[in-house]
Amino acid sequence: EDQVTQSPEALRLQEGESSSLNCSYTVSGLRGLFWYRQDPGKGPEFLFTLYSAGEEKEKERLKATLTKKESFLHITAPKPEDSATYLCAVQAHGNTGKLIFGQGTTLQVKP
Amino acid sequence: DTEVTQTPKHLVMGMTNKKSLKCEQHMGHRAMYWYKQKAKKPPELMFVYSYEKLSINESVPSRFSPECPNSSLLNLHLHALQPEDSALYLCASSRGTGNNEKLFFGSGTQLSVL
């Protein structure tokens, strides 16, 4: 069964304190791994797509990496406005159009 | 325009009511989705439309009835809902349903069933 597990469930950081979020996945053929950011009461906002091991993508203070079993979202020198829930999702072979989401990591960055 | 617009933003309905959620995009996307999200849980797929045809129904109860009148519009008709159906309903769109097609989400409709 295709599965996505994110850790930690919640993370509190001081402003400027770098850290990483983890997304472990088990899928029958990965077509793509996606990172989204979701603010309370809003829809998820697309951040990155990764689809092959070794791939890396960056956007401002965020960097996403991918291995054959997991992905990391590295947050460098976070600011309070980075506070949100970060969702990881995978698209598997044979599941056309379907994304399987992890439970998310809720990040709080204190000034 | 890179927006997916959902209306209404909030909806309160009784168990005997009939209501509809609406979703619109003008990005030329040919795939549209309905997701359901309970509080502090991830989004769960309900339906996928590809080129205006229903391609995935995740065994959703018949009290939820999707409709795709054209490539820009997606509706979700609600009838005889239960209190446990209260959730954030998210619409999304993508260029297609192929590899690595990123989904653009709307802000959702927060539904409360009394």
Side-chain angles (χ1 to χ4, degrees), chain A residues 1-9 21-27 33-35 69-73 86-90 100-105, chain B residues 42:
Chain A
E1 181 184 348
D2 298 334
Q3 197 168 1
V4 179
T5 303
Q6 291 187 245
S7 62
E9 193 173 311
L21 313 182
N22 177 263
C23 171
S24 299
Y25 62 90
T26 305
V27 294
L33 184 140
F34 302 80
W35 282 99
K69 293 185 178 180
E70 57 191 351
S71 176
F72 292 94
L73 184 65
Y86 290 85
L87 294 165
C88 172
V90 298
I100 301 165
F101 282 88
Q103 296 290 323
T105 293

mmCIF file of all heavy atoms in Angstrom, chain A residues 1-9 21-27 33-35 69-73 86-90 100-105, chain B residues 42:
data_model
loop_
_atom_site.group_PDB
_atom_site.id
_atom_site.type_symbol
_atom_site.label_atom_id
_atom_site.label_comp_id
_atom_site.label_asym_id
_atom_site.label_seq_id
_atom_site.Cartn_x
_atom_site.Cartn_y
_atom_site.Cartn_z
ATOM 1 N N GLU A 1 0.841 -1.195 0.000
ATOM 2 C CA GLU A 1 0.000 0.000 0.000
ATOM 3 C C GLU A 1 0.880 1.250 0.000
ATOM 4 O O GLU A 1 1.855 1.344 0.745
ATOM 5 C CB GLU A 1 -0.905 -0.004 1.235
ATOM 6 C CG GLU A 1 -1.841 1.190 1.310
ATOM 7 C CD GLU A 1 -2.645 1.208 2.602
ATOM 8 O OE1 GLU A 1 -2.651 0.189 3.321
ATOM 9 O OE2 GLU A 1 -3.256 2.243 2.906
ATOM 10 N N ASP A 2 0.524 2.212 -0.847
ATOM 11 C CA ASP A 2 1.284 3.459 -0.906
ATOM 12 C C ASP A 2 1.098 4.258 0.390
ATOM 13 O O ASP A 2 -0.013 4.382 0.882
ATOM 14 C CB ASP A 2 0.810 4.300 -2.094
ATOM 15 C CG ASP A 2 1.047 3.603 -3.415
ATOM 16 O OD1 ASP A 2 1.973 2.768 -3.488
ATOM 17 O OD2 ASP A 2 0.304 3.879 -4.375
ATOM 18 N N GLN A 3 2.211 4.777 0.910
ATOM 19 C CA GLN A 3 2.153 5.446 2.206
ATOM 20 C C GLN A 3 3.167 6.575 2.278
ATOM 21 O O GLN A 3 4.271 6.484 1.725
ATOM 22 C CB GLN A 3 2.448 4.433 3.316
ATOM 23 C CG GLN A 3 2.026 4.866 4.693
ATOM 24 C CD GLN A 3 2.069 3.719 5.687
ATOM 25 O OE1 GLN A 3 2.427 2.590 5.361
ATOM 26 N NE2 GLN A 3 1.715 4.000 6.915
ATOM 27 N N VAL A 4 2.767 7.653 2.964
ATOM 28 C CA VAL A 4 3.650 8.800 3.171
ATOM 29 C C VAL A 4 3.634 9.145 4.657
ATOM 30 O O VAL A 4 2.560 9.315 5.234
ATOM 31 C CB VAL A 4 3.186 10.013 2.358
ATOM 32 C CG1 VAL A 4 4.109 11.212 2.595
ATOM 33 C CG2 VAL A 4 3.120 9.678 0.876
ATOM 34 N N THR A 5 4.812 9.246 5.260
ATOM 35 C CA THR A 5 4.922 9.550 6.689
ATOM 36 C C THR A 5 5.828 10.758 6.878
ATOM 37 O O THR A 5 6.963 10.768 6.389
ATOM 38 C CB THR A 5 5.506 8.361 7.459
ATOM 39 O OG1 THR A 5 4.695 7.205 7.230
ATOM 40 C CG2 THR A 5 5.540 8.654 8.954
ATOM 41 N N GLN A 6 5.320 11.766 7.585
ATOM 42 C CA GLN A 6 6.116 12.967 7.829
ATOM 43 C C GLN A 6 6.500 13.069 9.301
ATOM 44 O O GLN A 6 5.746 12.683 10.182
ATOM 45 C CB GLN A 6 5.328 14.221 7.435
ATOM 46 C CG GLN A 6 5.123 14.351 5.937
ATOM 47 C CD GLN A 6 4.496 15.677 5.559
ATOM 48 O OE1 GLN A 6 3.376 15.718 5.059
ATOM 49 N NE2 GLN A 6 5.223 16.757 5.791
ATOM 50 N N SER A 7 7.695 13.592 9.527
ATOM 51 C CA SER A 7 8.147 13.828 10.894
ATOM 52 C C SER A 7 9.041 15.065 10.944
ATOM 53 O O SER A 7 9.691 15.405 9.948
ATOM 54 C CB SER A 7 8.920 12.610 11.419
ATOM 55 O OG SER A 7 10.069 12.376 10.636
ATOM 56 N N PRO A 8 9.063 15.785 12.092
ATOM 57 C CA PRO A 8 8.166 15.559 13.227
ATOM 58 C C PRO A 8 6.755 16.053 12.924
ATOM 59 O O PRO A 8 6.527 16.690 11.898
ATOM 60 C CB PRO A 8 8.819 16.417 14.323
ATOM 61 C CG PRO A 8 9.417 17.560 13.569
ATOM 62 C CD PRO A 8 9.917 16.963 12.275
ATOM 63 N N GLU A 9 5.842 15.757 13.804
ATOM 64 C CA GLU A 9 4.463 16.224 13.646
ATOM 65 C C GLU A 9 4.386 17.738 13.846
ATOM 66 O O GLU A 9 3.626 18.427 13.184
ATOM 67 C CB GLU A 9 3.584 15.513 14.662
ATOM 68 C CG GLU A 9 2.103 15.647 14.425
ATOM 69 C CD GLU A 9 1.321 14.765 15.383
ATOM 70 O OE1 GLU A 9 1.663 13.567 15.502
ATOM 71 O OE2 GLU A 9 0.394 15.282 16.021
ATOM 72 N N LEU A 21 12.727 19.070 7.815
ATOM 73 C CA LEU A 21 11.522 18.261 7.933
ATOM 74 C C LEU A 21 11.714 17.017 7.076
ATOM 75 O O LEU A 21 12.295 17.080 5.990
ATOM 76 C CB LEU A 21 10.294 19.034 7.437
ATOM 77 C CG LEU A 21 10.109 20.466 7.924
ATOM 78 C CD1 LEU A 21 8.821 21.045 7.367
ATOM 79 C CD2 LEU A 21 10.147 20.548 9.419
ATOM 80 N N ASN A 22 11.170 15.890 7.549
ATOM 81 C CA ASN A 22 11.361 14.621 6.854
ATOM 82 C C ASN A 22 10.055 14.097 6.264
ATOM 83 O O ASN A 22 8.987 14.246 6.853
ATOM 84 C CB ASN A 22 11.930 13.580 7.808
ATOM 85 C CG ASN A 22 12.077 12.221 7.154
ATOM 86 O OD1 ASN A 22 11.227 11.359 7.284
ATOM 87 N ND2 ASN A 22 13.161 12.044 6.418
ATOM 88 N N CYS A 23 10.160 13.492 5.086
ATOM 89 C CA CYS A 23 9.019 12.831 4.442
ATOM 90 C C CYS A 23 9.500 11.480 3.946
ATOM 91 O O CYS A 23 10.309 11.419 3.011
ATOM 92 C CB CYS A 23 8.502 13.692 3.291
ATOM 93 S SG CYS A 23 7.260 12.870 2.259
ATOM 94 N N SER A 24 9.030 10.412 4.553
ATOM 95 C CA SER A 24 9.370 9.050 4.121
ATOM 96 C C SER A 24 8.210 8.490 3.315
ATOM 97 O O SER A 24 7.055 8.689 3.680
ATOM 98 C CB SER A 24 9.633 8.146 5.333
ATOM 99 O OG SER A 24 10.710 8.634 6.085
ATOM 100 N N TYR A 25 8.520 7.785 2.243
ATOM 101 C CA TYR A 25 7.440 7.293 1.401
ATOM 102 C C TYR A 25 7.676 5.851 0.967
ATOM 103 O O TYR A 25 8.812 5.399 0.830
ATOM 104 C CB TYR A 25 7.259 8.194 0.163
ATOM 105 C CG TYR A 25 8.453 8.252 -0.756
ATOM 106 C CD1 TYR A 25 8.596 7.355 -1.811
ATOM 107 C CD2 TYR A 25 9.449 9.216 -0.560
ATOM 108 C CE1 TYR A 25 9.692 7.416 -2.651
ATOM 109 C CE2 TYR A 25 10.548 9.279 -1.402
ATOM 110 C CZ TYR A 25 10.670 8.377 -2.441
ATOM 111 O OH TYR A 25 11.760 8.431 -3.274
ATOM 112 N N THR A 26 6.555 5.174 0.760
ATOM 113 C CA THR A 26 6.559 3.822 0.193
ATOM 114 C C THR A 26 5.523 3.827 -0.903
ATOM 115 O O THR A 26 4.325 3.944 -0.637
ATOM 116 C CB THR A 26 6.187 2.767 1.253
ATOM 117 O OG1 THR A 26 7.051 2.894 2.376
ATOM 118 C CG2 THR A 26 6.308 1.367 0.668
ATOM 119 N N VAL A 27 5.980 3.769 -2.143
ATOM 120 C CA VAL A 27 5.055 3.783 -3.272
ATOM 121 C C VAL A 27 5.499 2.774 -4.311
ATOM 122 O O VAL A 27 6.683 2.443 -4.416
ATOM 123 C CB VAL A 27 4.960 5.185 -3.938
ATOM 124 C CG1 VAL A 27 4.345 6.181 -3.001
ATOM 125 C CG2 VAL A 27 6.304 5.650 -4.432
ATOM 126 N N LEU A 33 7.220 13.660 -6.275
ATOM 127 C CA LEU A 33 7.023 13.997 -4.866
ATOM 128 C C LEU A 33 6.865 15.504 -4.778
ATOM 129 O O LEU A 33 7.626 16.253 -5.394
ATOM 130 C CB LEU A 33 8.205 13.528 -4.024
ATOM 131 C CG LEU A 33 8.052 13.741 -2.509
ATOM 132 C CD1 LEU A 33 8.596 12.564 -1.735
ATOM 133 C CD2 LEU A 33 8.662 15.043 -2.059
ATOM 134 N N PHE A 34 5.871 15.933 -4.055
ATOM 135 C CA PHE A 34 5.496 17.341 -4.000
ATOM 136 C C PHE A 34 5.569 17.847 -2.568
ATOM 137 O O PHE A 34 5.198 17.146 -1.623
ATOM 138 C CB PHE A 34 4.058 17.530 -4.508
ATOM 139 C CG PHE A 34 3.841 17.042 -5.916
ATOM 140 C CD1 PHE A 34 3.655 15.698 -6.179
ATOM 141 C CD2 PHE A 34 3.817 17.938 -6.980
ATOM 142 C CE1 PHE A 34 3.454 15.242 -7.471
ATOM 143 C CE2 PHE A 34 3.614 17.484 -8.279
ATOM 144 C CZ PHE A 34 3.433 16.139 -8.509
ATOM 145 N N TRP A 35 6.014 19.087 -2.424
ATOM 146 C CA TRP A 35 5.938 19.784 -1.146
ATOM 147 C C TRP A 35 4.975 20.956 -1.296
ATOM 148 O O TRP A 35 5.048 21.724 -2.263
ATOM 149 C CB TRP A 35 7.308 20.309 -0.702
ATOM 150 C CG TRP A 35 8.207 19.258 -0.112
ATOM 151 C CD1 TRP A 35 9.218 18.581 -0.744
ATOM 152 C CD2 TRP A 35 8.196 18.773 1.236
ATOM 153 N NE1 TRP A 35 9.825 17.702 0.131
ATOM 154 C CE2 TRP A 35 9.223 17.808 1.347
ATOM 155 C CE3 TRP A 35 7.431 19.072 2.365
ATOM 156 C CZ2 TRP A 35 9.505 17.131 2.543
ATOM 157 C CZ3 TRP A 35 7.700 18.399 3.543
ATOM 158 C CH2 TRP A 35 8.725 17.439 3.630
ATOM 159 N N LYS A 69 14.023 6.798 -0.776
ATOM 160 C CA LYS A 69 13.056 6.434 0.263
ATOM 161 C C LYS A 69 12.479 7.629 0.996
ATOM 162 O O LYS A 69 11.489 7.492 1.711
ATOM 163 C CB LYS A 69 13.707 5.503 1.290
ATOM 164 C CG LYS A 69 14.085 4.156 0.753
ATOM 165 C CD LYS A 69 14.614 3.269 1.863
ATOM 166 C CE LYS A 69 14.960 1.876 1.328
ATOM 167 N NZ LYS A 69 15.489 0.987 2.391
ATOM 168 N N GLU A 70 13.123 8.810 0.865
ATOM 169 C CA GLU A 70 12.636 9.949 1.637
ATOM 170 C C GLU A 70 13.017 11.273 0.990
ATOM 171 O O GLU A 70 13.868 11.326 0.103
ATOM 172 C CB GLU A 70 13.162 9.887 3.078
ATOM 173 C CG GLU A 70 14.665 9.838 3.202
ATOM 174 C CD GLU A 70 15.126 9.516 4.618
ATOM 175 O OE1 GLU A 70 14.298 9.500 5.558
ATOM 176 O OE2 GLU A 70 16.329 9.278 4.788
ATOM 177 N N SER A 71 12.341 12.305 1.480
ATOM 178 C CA SER A 71 12.649 13.660 1.041
ATOM 179 C C SER A 71 12.808 14.525 2.281
ATOM 180 O O SER A 71 12.183 14.272 3.325
ATOM 181 C CB SER A 71 11.518 14.206 0.161
ATOM 182 O OG SER A 71 11.755 15.550 -0.197
ATOM 183 N N PHE A 72 13.662 15.526 2.155
ATOM 184 C CA PHE A 72 13.858 16.479 3.242
ATOM 185 C C PHE A 72 13.530 17.881 2.755
ATOM 186 O O PHE A 72 13.826 18.247 1.611
ATOM 187 C CB PHE A 72 15.304 16.444 3.745
ATOM 188 C CG PHE A 72 15.673 15.169 4.446
ATOM 189 C CD1 PHE A 72 16.267 14.125 3.744
ATOM 190 C CD2 PHE A 72 15.432 15.013 5.798
ATOM 191 C CE1 PHE A 72 16.608 12.946 4.381
ATOM 192 C CE2 PHE A 72 15.775 13.835 6.440
ATOM 193 C CZ PHE A 72 16.359 12.799 5.731
ATOM 194 N N LEU A 73 12.919 18.644 3.651
ATOM 195 C CA LEU A 73 12.716 20.075 3.387
ATOM 196 C C LEU A 73 13.568 20.818 4.411
ATOM 197 O O LEU A 73 13.274 20.786 5.602
ATOM 198 C CB LEU A 73 11.237 20.460 3.525
ATOM 199 C CG LEU A 73 10.898 21.898 3.173
ATOM 200 C CD1 LEU A 73 11.152 22.166 1.683
ATOM 201 C CD2 LEU A 73 9.444 22.214 3.516
ATOM 202 N N TYR A 86 3.538 22.159 6.623
ATOM 203 C CA TYR A 86 4.199 21.736 5.392
ATOM 204 C C TYR A 86 3.771 20.300 5.085
ATOM 205 O O TYR A 86 3.947 19.396 5.891
ATOM 206 C CB TYR A 86 5.716 21.862 5.529
ATOM 207 C CG TYR A 86 6.145 23.310 5.575
ATOM 208 C CD1 TYR A 86 6.142 24.013 6.776
ATOM 209 C CD2 TYR A 86 6.489 23.995 4.412
ATOM 210 C CE1 TYR A 86 6.492 25.360 6.818
ATOM 211 C CE2 TYR A 86 6.843 25.335 4.440
ATOM 212 C CZ TYR A 86 6.833 26.007 5.653
ATOM 213 O OH TYR A 86 7.164 27.350 5.687
ATOM 214 N N LEU A 87 3.193 20.149 3.899
ATOM 215 C CA LEU A 87 2.657 18.858 3.476
ATOM 216 C C LEU A 87 3.525 18.259 2.380
ATOM 217 O O LEU A 87 3.932 18.945 1.439
ATOM 218 C CB LEU A 87 1.230 19.025 2.929
ATOM 219 C CG LEU A 87 0.153 19.467 3.927
ATOM 220 C CD1 LEU A 87 -1.084 19.941 3.178
ATOM 221 C CD2 LEU A 87 -0.202 18.334 4.860
ATOM 222 N N CYS A 88 3.776 16.972 2.503
ATOM 223 C CA CYS A 88 4.471 16.210 1.482
ATOM 224 C C CYS A 88 3.441 15.301 0.816
ATOM 225 O O CYS A 88 2.545 14.766 1.481
ATOM 226 C CB CYS A 88 5.576 15.382 2.150
ATOM 227 S SG CYS A 88 6.404 14.192 1.095
ATOM 228 N N ALA A 89 3.536 15.140 -0.489
ATOM 229 C CA ALA A 89 2.597 14.278 -1.212
ATOM 230 C C ALA A 89 3.334 13.549 -2.317
ATOM 231 O O ALA A 89 4.296 14.067 -2.885
ATOM 232 C CB ALA A 89 1.449 15.103 -1.793
ATOM 233 N N VAL A 90 2.876 12.331 -2.623
ATOM 234 C CA VAL A 90 3.477 11.570 -3.707
ATOM 235 C C VAL A 90 2.423 11.200 -4.741
ATOM 236 O O VAL A 90 1.247 11.038 -4.437
ATOM 237 C CB VAL A 90 4.169 10.285 -3.202
ATOM 238 C CG1 VAL A 90 5.298 10.639 -2.248
ATOM 239 C CG2 VAL A 90 3.177 9.340 -2.554
ATOM 240 N N ILE A 100 -1.120 11.348 -2.787
ATOM 241 C CA ILE A 100 -1.258 10.789 -1.445
ATOM 242 C C ILE A 100 -0.462 11.683 -0.514
ATOM 243 O O ILE A 100 0.761 11.811 -0.653
ATOM 244 C CB ILE A 100 -0.724 9.350 -1.399
ATOM 245 C CG1 ILE A 100 -1.485 8.489 -2.396
ATOM 246 C CG2 ILE A 100 -0.855 8.777 0.012
ATOM 247 C CD1 ILE A 100 -0.821 7.173 -2.684
ATOM 248 N N PHE A 101 -1.157 12.318 0.427
ATOM 249 C CA PHE A 101 -0.531 13.278 1.324
ATOM 250 C C PHE A 101 -0.074 12.619 2.619
ATOM 251 O O PHE A 101 -0.707 11.690 3.132
ATOM 252 C CB PHE A 101 -1.514 14.393 1.684
ATOM 253 C CG PHE A 101 -1.694 15.424 0.615
ATOM 254 C CD1 PHE A 101 -2.648 15.261 -0.377
ATOM 255 C CD2 PHE A 101 -0.917 16.575 0.595
ATOM 256 C CE1 PHE A 101 -2.821 16.221 -1.368
ATOM 257 C CE2 PHE A 101 -1.089 17.540 -0.385
ATOM 258 C CZ PHE A 101 -2.036 17.361 -1.364
ATOM 259 N N GLY A 102 1.033 13.139 3.166
ATOM 260 C CA GLY A 102 1.418 12.819 4.533
ATOM 261 C C GLY A 102 0.597 13.655 5.502
ATOM 262 O O GLY A 102 -0.185 14.513 5.097
ATOM 263 N N GLN A 103 0.804 13.406 6.795
ATOM 264 C CA GLN A 103 0.023 14.086 7.826
ATOM 265 C C GLN A 103 0.453 15.534 8.024
ATOM 266 O O GLN A 103 -0.285 16.305 8.634
ATOM 267 C CB GLN A 103 0.159 13.349 9.159
ATOM 268 C CG GLN A 103 -0.401 11.938 9.149
ATOM 269 C CD GLN A 103 -1.910 11.921 9.051
ATOM 270 O OE1 GLN A 103 -2.597 12.766 9.626
ATOM 271 N NE2 GLN A 103 -2.446 10.972 8.322
ATOM 272 N N GLY A 104 1.610 15.886 7.515
ATOM 273 C CA GLY A 104 2.063 17.262 7.628
ATOM 274 C C GLY A 104 2.939 17.510 8.851
ATOM 275 O O GLY A 104 2.877 16.779 9.844
ATOM 276 N N THR A 105 3.766 18.542 8.750
ATOM 277 C CA THR A 105 4.555 19.041 9.877
ATOM 278 C C THR A 105 4.152 20.490 10.107
ATOM 279 O O THR A 105 4.239 21.310 9.186
ATOM 280 C CB THR A 105 6.065 18.976 9.604
ATOM 281 O OG1 THR A 105 6.489 17.617 9.521
ATOM 282 C CG2 THR A 105 6.850 19.677 10.724
ATOM 283 N N PRO B 42 -4.544 15.588 6.663
ATOM 284 C CA PRO B 42 -4.178 15.955 5.291
ATOM 285 C C PRO B 42 -5.383 15.916 4.369
ATOM 286 O O PRO B 42 -6.394 15.280 4.694
ATOM 287 C CB PRO B 42 -3.167 14.872 4.907
ATOM 288 C CG PRO B 42 -3.565 13.692 5.721
ATOM 289 C CD PRO B 42 -4.063 14.238 7.027
#
